[in-house]
Amino acid sequence: MRRLSWLVILAVAPFLVGGCAAMAVAPMAAIAYKGATKAQDASRPITDSEEYYIGRAVAARVLTKYKLDSNPKLTEYVNEVGDTVARKSARPNPFRGYHFAVLDTGEINAFACPGGIIFITRGLIQTCKSEDQLAAVLAHEVAHVANKDGINSISKARWTEVWTAMGKEAVTVYGGSVAAGLVTLFEGSIDDVFKTIVVNGYSRQAEETADAAAVTTLNRAGYDSTALVAVLTTMEAKGKGATSGIFKTHPATADRLAKVKALACETPTAAKGEAIRTERFKKMVG
Ligand SMILES: [Zn+2]
C-alpha cells in the first residue's frame, strides 16, 4: 500500500496531473540553483535525482491519459514480481527505487519512465499466462530504466538549452519569469520522453539490448528465461495488423523473436517452482 499511495497522490491531485509544469516547479527550481552554482557546462551527464524528477513528471503525464487500477492486491503483487527482477538487474538501486503501477485499461502496453517508475496495463498482465511471463515483461521495462533509454531520447539540442539556461545567474531568482522559462525548457524534455515511451517507441537496438538484459535478469532471479519468448510470441499473434500502442512501440517482429529465442536457449534456466508461481499468478489475475 505504501508504494501505491504516492501514485494515488500523483493521480488524484489535479494540480499535479493537470499540469506537469506545476509539479516540476519546486524540484526544478532546486536543480536550477544547483546547476547555477557550477561552471557552465552544456554537456554534463544528468544526475540520478534529475532523472528521477523528469521521470516523475513523465509519469504524471502518463496518468493524464490512463487511470490507475484500483485493485491494491494486484499492484502489490506486480511490485513484488517487479522488485524481484529489478534487484537482479544491472541497475538495482535508482535514486528513489523502482515503483510498479497497474493502469486500468484493456489496452496492451507498458511504459518505463526514467528513474524507475514503471507502468503496466491490466490488458498486458492478462496477456501473460504465468508469473514468469509477467516477470519477463517487467524485466524488459526495468532494462529500459537501467539503460536510461527514456532519458537518452531527450535531444542533444534540448539538453544544451537546459544546461545553458541553468548556467545563467538569473535562473537562481526563481518564481519569476525566468523560472517559468526554465520549467518550459524541461517541459520540452518531458515531451521528448513521453513521445518516445508512449507514441514512437525506442530504437530497435534499444529494444534488443533490453530483451537481452531481460533474459539475463530472468535467469539470475530464478525465473524461466524462455518466458520472454513466450510472451512475445503471444504479442506477435495479437498484434498482427495493429499499428498503435505497444505493437508500435515494442514490435514483436520475427527477427526480434528469433534473437530472444537464441539467447534464452544459450542460457537455459533450471527454473524451479514454476507451477506454484503460475498458480499464484492465476489466483491474482484470474
Ligand atoms: Zn521495450
Side-chain angles (χ1 to χ4, degrees):
M1 272 312 286
R2 193 173 56 81
R3 291 178 177 286
L4 186 65
S5 57
W6 69 270
L7 273 170
V8 170
I9 291 164
L10 208 59
V12 299
F15 69 94
L16 292 183
V17 173
C20 299
M23 186 186 74
V25 167
M28 292 312 171
I31 291 165
Y33 180 79
K34 197 174 138 208
T37 59
K38 290 183 176 176
Q40 284 195 39
D41 180 357
S43 61
R44 72 164 171 84
I46 187 165
T47 66
D48 281 3
S49 60
E50 286 163 350
E51 182 191 1
Y52 165 77
Y53 286 119
I54 289 175
R56 207 172 68 165
V58 172
R61 191 162 301 183
V62 170
L63 291 176
T64 63
K65 192 171 152 70
Y66 298 94
K67 263 177 35 187
L68 281 174
D69 190 88
S70 59
N71 179 352
K73 284 213 162 101
L74 180 61
T75 301
E76 246 171 66
Y77 175 62
V78 169
N79 272 278
E80 271 173 36
V81 176
D83 280 340
T84 302
V85 291
R87 272 198 291 273
K88 300 292 180 185
S89 74
R91 191 183 180 194
N93 297 306
F95 180 60
R96 290 274 165 91
Y98 285 90
H99 299 276
F100 300 85
V102 181
L103 298 175
D104 181 19
T105 168
E107 189 184 304
I108 296 171
N109 226 331
F111 310 111
C113 302
I117 299 173
I118 291 172
F119 293 110
I120 180 166
T121 63
R122 198 170 18 80
L124 180 49
I125 294 173
Q126 285 165 344
T127 299
C128 297
K129 294 188 174 75
S130 65
E131 182 175 305
D132 291 44
Q133 291 187 21
L134 171 64
V137 171
L138 296 177
H140 175 96
E141 297 304 319
V142 163
H144 280 311
V145 174
N147 298 339
K148 302 199 174 183
D149 290 330
I151 279 297
N152 289 337
S153 68
I154 299 171
S155 71
K156 281 206 167 59
R158 194 86 80 188
W159 279 130
T160 305
E161 277 175 5
V162 170
W163 300 143
T164 304
M166 280 185 170
K168 286 180 184 158
E169 204 181 332
V171 172
T172 56
V173 190
Y174 54 85
S177 60
V178 177
L182 184 70
V183 168
T184 305
L185 284 174
F186 268 100
E187 279 294 293
S189 304
I190 294 156
D191 276 347
D192 282 354
V193 178
F194 181 82
K195 272 188 200 138
T196 297
I197 69 170
V198 177
V199 184
N200 300 322
Y202 304 110
S203 69
R204 203 173 159 153
Q205 179 62 50
E207 287 308 328
E208 287 178 4
T209 306
D211 282 345
V215 170
T216 305
T217 300
L218 287 171
N219 242 323
R220 286 187 190 152
Y223 282 113
D224 178 4
S225 59
T226 63
L228 186 59
V229 180
V231 74
L232 284 177
T233 305
T234 311
M235 279 173 56
E236 196 215 4
K238 285 199 174 203
K240 283 210 177 357
T243 53
S244 64
I246 201 165
F247 304 113
K248 188 181 173 206
T249 58
H250 291 73
T253 57
D255 183 39
R256 182 181 172 193
L257 257 171
K259 282 184 177 156
V260 179
K261 217 178 231 171
L263 275 173
C265 291
E266 260 174 39
T267 52
T269 317
K272 290 180 182 152
E274 196 175 344
I276 296 167
R277 291 196 299 274
T278 301
E279 197 187 318
R280 180 166 63 189
F281 176 86
K282 291 204 165 133
K283 219 169 166 183
M284 198 61 69
V285 177

